[in-house]
Amino acid sequence: MALKITVIGTGYLGATHAAAMAELGFEVLGLDVVPEKIEMLAAGRVPMYEPGLEELLQRHVAGIPGSTGRLRFTTSWEEVGEFGDVHFVCVNTPQKHGEYACDMSYVDAAFASLAPQLRRPCLVVGKSTVPVGSATRLAALLAERAPAGADAELAWNPEFLREGFAVQDTLRPDRIVAGVGSDRAEKLLREVYATPLGEGTPFVVTDYPTAELVKTAANSFLATKISFINAMAEVCEAADGDVVKLAEAIGHDDRIGRKFLRAGIGFGGGCLPKDIRAFMARAGELGVDQALTFLREVDSINMRRRGQMVELAREAVGGSFLGTTVAVLGATFKPDSDDVRDSPALNVAGQIHLQGGQVTVYDPKGMDNARAVFPTLAYAPSALEAARGAQVVLHLTEWGEFRELDPEALGAVVAERRILDGRNALDPSRWREAGWDFRALGRPTA
Ligand code: UGA
């Protein structure tokens, strides 16, 4: 009999995981405590922009004509407990308000609701990013509260999907990490992931703490890599060097590698910033805060880039934003996503607005989310409209359509042909040839 799978929490991670599990051939039941989310998903609609996700969902959601019908949604914990052989917990772990630490309330609430419903042998698999030590604590909670007792086991299986590539990263992950407490748990996870394992995906079996740490270590390493190249950008700015060339040159050393060395206004989003902070907080509790002091520096370098972008823009408009018109291209924290959580682009736009600039923003997918966070900024329906009358254009999220912009067409509507590239993604020569004053973070002025 094929395993029956439940997915608890249907945000980014959970919705993608549920659809992917159905794609792999399993019967899947998704649960969320927000009924509106469940209604949307049950109608085959996704509450966020993620390439390919809606199509995948519609291929499997029960009741949609032509679907496999393998994927259903519910708000009932009882139904979840009855249905599942394997329960994936995919709820959010945001930063605690006013603290660095991770807010575990959603994870704790999910386990508290699930445990009493576990009456038959099953495996609960945590996917949320949690402070190390959480799995051991939650395993004890299951043992105590699940009617199935020791037959309701826990595993920790961190998730490495990137927004914008969520479907591909879930169906074809570059590794699967299984923090387990028994051979039975390992065997069940191997069964769940039989397809990617058959295609050669590495499977790393660990204990609970190591599995939890793999996730925070991976995100900390990525954040460090970005801040490293952004620190080099600061030095390049002072020494008239070119950080893009520098990244290319060091990246040829395959011990260093070219990826995640794109200098610019830095990292944002719902993961990297909060994960490095939660990791520092947890290290403090464990008495090893010194081991992660460098992450404080990683965080400050990152936040400084936003300030530097604002400074460059201020210089460009003659020293003050008062009475100036500024166009901002991009609002999301990265392209191919509508996510504006801790978005460097929106942060820069907001700072300039608060300093008296008239800021008009355009983003291909993030307009509604941006408007909700920053209703006082102006929004335009296209890059061209955002740039109309602008004294300076800021390129802050590297959407493909911005690389395709025609410098002549944009030049015809702006007040002054001046552009700042905060993502080092535009071709300087194309813009300069069209008479633009082009500047980019960490690159020479001409
Ligand atoms: C990140 C990790 O990459 C995933 O592996 C992880 O699963 C996920 O967090 C998570 O913890 O759930 P994501 O937040 O989607 O994924 O975004 P990234 O692609 O890592 O980009 C993060 C930020 O870094 C973006 O703002 C991006 O613009 C910036 N970035 C990235 C740079 O500034 N330079 C680079 O070279 C690369």
Side-chain angles (χ1 to χ4, degrees):
M1 265 279 282
L3 294 171
K4 287 187 169 172
I5 290 182
T6 81
V7 175
I8 293 155
T10 57
Y12 227 99
L13 168 57
T16 312
H17 193 69
M21 287 292 120
E23 176 77 6
L24 293 180
F26 299 104
E27 295 281 322
V28 184
L29 182 62
L31 173 139
D32 205 285
V33 294
V34 182
E36 295 77 36
K37 253 194 216 170
I38 290 301
E39 274 163 33
M40 244 187 124
L41 290 165
R45 283 182 297 125
V46 180
M48 63 261 174
Y49 173 73
E50 179 62 41
L53 182 54
E54 199 148 274
E55 290 83 339
L56 191 68
L57 201 71
Q58 291 180 358
R59 209 154 53 231
H60 300 294
V61 172
I64 291 188
S67 82
T68 64
R70 288 198 287 261
L71 176 54
R72 290 184 304 112
F73 292 94
T74 184
T75 51
S76 156
W77 289 99
E78 197 180 343
E79 201 184 339
V80 159
E82 258 166 42
F83 180 89
D85 301 303
V86 179
H87 304 279
F88 283 98
V89 178
C90 297
V91 298
N92 202 4
T93 50
Q95 186 175 338
K96 258 192 201 164
H97 189 69
E99 280 181 52
Y100 269 14
C102 162
D103 176 356
M104 285 290 285
S105 59
Y106 302 105
V107 175
D108 289 341
F111 274 81
S113 302
L114 179 65
Q117 306 296 340
L118 301 176
R119 295 171 208 288
R120 60 191 189 82
C122 62
L123 183 68
V124 178
V125 186
K127 272 204 160 295
S128 308
T129 301
V130 294
V132 60
S134 306
T136 305
R137 176 173 67 78
L138 294 165
L141 181 143
L142 284 185
E144 192 189 304
R145 299 207 203 154
D151 284 340
E153 255 196 87
L154 183 71
W156 215 264
N157 169 220
E159 179 57 55
F160 306 102
L161 67 81
R162 298 160 296 168
E163 293 188 14
F165 299 89
V167 170
Q168 156 190 340
D169 286 353
T170 308
L171 289 172
R172 271 165 238 92
D174 50 16
R175 80 287 210 188
I176 295 166
V177 176
V180 295
S182 75
D183 291 345
R184 170 179 165 252
E186 178 183 337
K187 197 176 144 276
L188 277 170
L189 277 177
R190 283 188 184 276
E191 213 174 314
V192 170
Y193 291 119
T195 305
L197 294 180
E199 290 163 0
T201 300
F203 190 69
V204 184
V205 179
T206 72
D207 49 28
Y208 294 150
T210 308
E212 293 165 312
L213 283 169
V214 168
K215 172 63 194 245
T216 30
N219 274 2
S220 298
F221 191 86
L222 294 172
T224 303
K225 221 175 161 188
I226 300 168
S227 277
F228 173 83
I229 202 63
N230 281 332
M232 295 305 111
E234 284 188 19
V235 178
C236 283
E237 277 154 21
D240 233 0
D242 183 341
V243 74
V244 175
K245 280 283 166 208
L246 182 141
E248 181 192 333
I250 63 173
H252 283 305
D253 181 335
D254 62 14
R255 294 171 303 176
I256 296 174
R258 184 68 191 82
K259 289 181 182 157
F260 265 65
L261 287 182
R262 276 179 287 112
I265 54 172
F267 59 81
C271 301
L272 261 43
K274 65 110 174 150
D275 284 354
I276 61 171
R277 293 173 195 153
F279 200 17
M280 285 187 268
R282 184 64 185 134
E285 289 168 4
L286 294 168
V288 288
D289 44 331
Q290 274 196 336
L292 299 187
T293 312
F294 74 96
L295 287 179
R296 216 172 265 284
E297 209 47 52
V298 165
D299 204 358
S300 353
I301 293 168
N302 190 53
M303 298 309 278
R304 268 207 307 272
R305 298 320 281 161
R306 303 175 183 189
Q308 172 66 359
M309 190 69 217
V310 175
E311 282 316 307
L312 266 188
R314 191 206 319 281
E315 238 173 67
V317 296
S320 165
F321 288 117
L322 283 176
T324 62
T325 305
V326 179
V328 165
L329 304 184
T332 54
F333 84 105
K334 67 189 251 186
D336 299 314
S337 162
D338 64 358
D339 196 344
V340 300
R341 283 177 295 171
D342 201 359
S343 164
L346 210 51
N347 181 302
V348 167
Q351 286 194 53
I352 294 176
H353 167 74
L354 293 171
Q355 292 176 30
Q358 299 288 319
V359 182
T360 305
V361 180
Y362 166 70
D363 187 279
K365 296 285 176 194
M367 300 284 270
D368 290 344
N369 289 340
R371 221 181 256 116
V373 179
F374 259 113
T376 47
L377 298 173
Y379 294 89
S382 68
L384 214 64
E385 285 311 312
R388 198 172 291 284
Q391 273 132 310
V392 63
V393 177
L394 311 187
H395 174 245
L396 301 183
T397 311
E398 69 277 34
W399 286 91
E401 75 169 68
F402 297 150
R403 272 194 299 279
E404 309 297 314
L405 280 173
D406 175 7
E408 279 303 341
L410 212 69
V413 299
V414 292
E416 282 158 65
R417 293 193 176 198
R418 198 178 282 133
I419 187 162
L420 305 182
D421 186 3
R423 289 294 183 183
N424 281 310
L426 303 177
D427 176 359
S429 55
R430 268 185 79 215
W431 292 83
R432 285 182 180 139
E433 275 159 22
W436 285 74
D437 175 12
F438 181 99
R439 285 195 69 182
L441 289 180
R443 305 195 82 175
T445 32

